[in-house]
């Protein structure tokens, strides 16, 4: 549903004002008592309601999928609200760009490019940032020695008795050696925010169940949310490992800490961008206009 929203919302909103401008009907509306903000926000609300109709049509499938997965009813409500929010933001983008750009086709193309920038461009920017910040360090790790593997291989030489081979393998004394290798490290604590304006990240982080819930990591939403929140970890360092069995009195590894929710950061960025575009569209629609582009049709 979110994918279809990214495809439909710009098409139904990005030509709402530019089409009237090119047809000569915009000036007729502007000479009435309707203010510039009323015209702009009314167009945005109408486009949002039209986009919300697609959500209403797809709602039974969304409800059925979440009910079959036995999710929390609150999660279902949040899913519908998250989709409505994203569709509304996309339609506001389209209406604002339609007010700023005279050409209807160019306004629609620009709206699609803006949505693609948030959906795909953030992924490309994050991947490039990770590649630039990646560094390589040398670490040491524990592994079984060659003599241990030779002794294990000797247990299975010339014998097909699996029980005897297992007893022989368990009797081989464990011998470990320390080796060195080079591993890449990609610190993400300073670049994780690049992914927050992504609409799929916002919806996933909003709809994902609580981290302490019984079904907190077995769906796509939880996977995306856990991944993005985990990128906030500021302790990017080489993790040494050991193939050898740990001593009985060795401390157990603690569970990884999850980061803070990120959906509100992405939503704030999107809303700030929408507000900026609406302000620019208001300046473009404000009358009387001191200057009009060449070929603009007034009435």
């Amino acid at each position: 549903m979110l994918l279809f929203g990214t495809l439909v919302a710009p098409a139904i909103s990005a030509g709402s004002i530019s089409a009237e401008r090119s047809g000569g009907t915009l000036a007729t509306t502007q000479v009435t008592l309707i203010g510039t903000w009323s015209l702009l926000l009314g167009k945005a609300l109408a486009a949002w309601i039209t986009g919300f109709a697609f959500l209403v049509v797809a709602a039974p499938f969304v409800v059925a999928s979440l009910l079959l997965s036995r999710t929390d009813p609150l999660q279902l409500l949040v899913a519908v609200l998250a989709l409505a929010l994203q569709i509304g933001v996309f339609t506001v983008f389209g209406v604002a760009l339609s007010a700023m750009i005279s050409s209807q086709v160019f306004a629609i193309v620009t709206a699609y490019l803006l949505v693609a920038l948030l959906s795909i461009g953030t992924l490309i920017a994050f991947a490039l940032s990770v590649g630039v910040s990646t560094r390589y360090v040398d670490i040491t790790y524990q592994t079984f020695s060659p003599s241990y593997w030779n002794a294990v291989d000797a247990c299975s030489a010339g014998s097909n008795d699996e029980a005897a081979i297992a007893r022989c393998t368990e009797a081989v004394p464990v011998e470990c050696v320390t080796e060195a290798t080079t591993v890449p490290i990609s610190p993400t604590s300073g670049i994780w925010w690049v992914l927050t304006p992504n609409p799929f990240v916002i919806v996933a982080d909003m709809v994902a169940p609580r981290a302490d819930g019984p079904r907190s990591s077995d769906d796509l939403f939880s996977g995306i949310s856990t991944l993005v929140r985990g990128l906030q970890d500021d302790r990017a360092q080489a993790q040494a490992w050991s193939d050898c069995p740990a001593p009985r009195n060795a401390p157990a590894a603690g569970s990884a800490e999850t980061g803070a929710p990120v959906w509100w950061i992405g939503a704030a960025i999107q809303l700030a961008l929408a507000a900026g575009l609406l302000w620019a569209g208001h300046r473009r629609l404000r009358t009387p206009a001191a200057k009009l582009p060449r070929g603009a049709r007034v009435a």
Side-chain angles (χ1 to χ4, degrees), residues 15-159:
S16 57
I17 296 179
S18 55
E20 291 194 14
R21 182 185 286 115
S22 61
T25 59
L26 179 61
T28 305
T29 305
Q30 289 180 307
V31 298
T32 63
L33 297 179
I34 297 178
T36 304
W37 278 117
S38 299
L39 175 63
L40 190 62
L41 296 179
K43 291 284 188 180
L45 180 60
W48 190 358
I49 294 175
T50 305
F52 194 76
F54 290 93
L55 178 59
V56 173
V57 172
F61 302 97
V62 177
V63 172
S65 63
L66 292 179
L67 290 180
L68 290 176
S69 61
R70 292 174 296 177
T71 56
D72 189 357
L74 180 61
Q75 189 178 357
L76 172 61
L77 176 61
V78 173
V80 176
L81 293 178
L83 292 174
L85 172 64
Q86 289 302 299
I87 293 177
V89 170
F90 295 153
T91 54
V92 170
F93 288 166
V95 171
L97 291 173
S98 179
M100 295 169 55
I101 302 174
S102 300
S103 174
Q104 179 180 359
V105 175
F106 189 56
I108 295 176
V109 171
T110 305
Y112 274 116
L113 290 177
L114 181 57
V115 174
L117 176 64
L118 296 176
S119 303
I120 304 176
T122 52
L123 299 178
I124 297 176
F126 179 77
L128 293 176
S129 301
V130 170
V132 171
S133 60
T134 298
R135 53 190 174 89
Y136 295 87
V137 297
D138 297 328
I139 65 170
T140 58
Y141 63 96
Q142 295 285 328
T143 186
F144 295 106
S145 64
S147 59
Y148 170 81
W149 289 117
N150 292 334
V152 171
D153 293 338
C155 291
S156 58
S159 176

Side-chain angles (χ1 to χ4, degrees), residues 228-246:
V228 177
R229 295 188 187 189
L231 296 175
Q232 303 175 28
D233 190 0
D234 204 11
R235 299 167 296 178
Q237 58 184 356
Q239 299 291 336
W241 72 90
S242 176
D243 296 331
C244 299

Side-chain angles (χ1 to χ4, degrees), residues 194-273:
V194 176
L195 293 174
T196 56
N198 191 299
F200 297 92
V201 172
I202 294 176
V203 174
D205 197 53
M206 289 182 66
V207 182
R210 300 187 306 271
D212 56 349
R215 304 176 61 84
S216 59
S217 62
D218 58 352
D219 62 288
L220 181 61
F221 286 150
S222 297
I224 296 177
S225 177
T226 302
L227 176 62
V228 177
R229 295 188 187 189
L231 296 175
Q232 303 175 28
D233 190 0
D234 204 11
R235 299 167 296 178
Q237 58 184 356
Q239 299 291 336
W241 72 90
S242 176
D243 296 331
C244 299
R248 293 183 178 180
N249 56 355
S255 58
E257 298 181 359
T258 58
V262 300
W263 65 267
W264 64 272
I265 301 176
I269 295 176
Q270 288 187 358
L271 292 177
L273 179 59

